[in-house]
Amino acid sequence: MPSSLRLYFLCIPLACPCGLQAAPEAPPIGLAGLAPGFSQHVINAQSTYCACAVDDVNADGRPDIVCGAYWYEAPGWERHQVREIERIRGRFDGYAHLMLDVDGDGDRDVITVNYRSASLQWFEHPSDLTREWDRHYIDLPGPMETGRLHDIDGDGRDDILPNGANFAAWWRAVPESAATGSRGPRLSFVRQELPPEVKGHGLGFGDIDGDGRGDILAQKGWLAAPEDRLKGTWTWQADWDLTRASIPMLPQDVDGDGDTDVIWSSAHDYGIFWMEQGRDPSGARIWTTHPIDGGWSQSHALLWGDLDGDGTKELIAGKRYMAHDGRDAGATDPLVLCRYQYDPAGKTWLKHSITDGGIIGFGLDPKLEDLDLDGDLDLICPGRTGLYWLENRLQQPKANRPK
């Protein structure tokens, strides 16, 4: 842990470590490391792919799981081949799985963002699911930690925003003319350059300055979006300097005061934080950093959603297993998954353990989806220790599952 962060955590009073408050009557962790309120399902304990996606691949009304070389058919999770995935320098390619109908045929294809092959690719969902999914290259821009889909230019279509290690760009989804009999236009992807300051470890997307346009968050600041995102100038705001930040960073109004704050974690060290947006006496924007939890390391991918059905979204974070084969701080510590609820009265976070010391962590692209169609959100957790579904039982089912 960097000395500045060590000092930061050491200076927090022991009565309320890391801005945390124990959840009232928090349930004990089960023998298998799983807290009450969730059921664990093993999809593939041998899987080591770090990303996944959820989609109804075979159009039977049930969401399936796509992960690496395979898709898993609900409800029994029978494994089917997608295509062979290269193992490069000891790791499989595929650091993000993003579902989008690229070819306009009505089903969704898989876009992958890749560090080891330094490529953006998409795999074409076939009409015959017994055959291999065709691979198409979008670009070879350089190594990317991972990526997400966002409507960056405000045209109603998702674009690709990767976290480039040594480049700064996004790929605009451009509709081409629809083929005869297709359900929509085929998409091509056009590279759009960004100021170089946005490259590096950390990425997020959201409206920081309240002008209604999505800005881009990065490790050392953020880019203010121009009115014309294609021809205008993105303006760099060097408002912070973080250490290998999470992907994604989450722009959210944490404290409900009407402006956008930023939640982030140290992806290869200890610490989860939020930065409160404010103004100094002159009206200039300032940021106050508050710790959320400093007790575990390598929270690389953050999720934001309402797990318990109370109408308020919460932070969900999980430890990544052996990101750099033991060279990161706390690499051999037990795996954990936690959810954090913000308490506006005390400006503290209620920590709820989901798993503690078990076999489940977060890779680079976990998903929060209603996998069993019972009306709540479940966690789908890929990583080097396997592929798992954590079924949410925190609330009563609100819908009927397909029979």
Side-chain angles (χ1 to χ4, degrees), residues 295-331:
W296 54 278
S297 69
Q298 295 189 87
S299 173
H300 203 288
L302 301 177
L303 296 173
W304 184 252
D306 183 9
L307 280 178
D308 61 5
D310 67 352
T312 301
K313 293 183 179 181
E314 57 221 64
L315 171 66
I316 305 111
K319 181 178 176 66
R320 185 179 175 198
Y321 179 72
M322 289 290 170
H324 293 138
D325 298 316
R327 297 189 300 273
D328 290 324

Side-chain angles (χ1 to χ4, degrees), residues 113-169:
V113 180
N114 305 288
Y115 189 92
R116 308 236 159 184
S117 67
S119 65
L120 291 168
Q121 307 175 24
W122 67 278
F123 298 160
E124 184 176 350
H125 185 298
S127 56
D128 178 2
L129 288 172
T130 64
R131 58 179 287 268
E132 188 174 84
W133 298 36
D134 290 338
R135 184 212 313 264
H136 305 266
Y137 282 90
I138 297 171
D139 207 343
L140 297 167
M144 293 159 283
E145 192 79 16
T146 184
R148 298 295 186 265
L149 294 177
H150 295 288
D151 180 9
I152 296 175
D153 54 1
D155 67 352
R157 297 182 183 87
D158 276 338
D159 308 296
I160 305 172
L161 179 62
N163 182 216
N166 53 26
F167 71 88

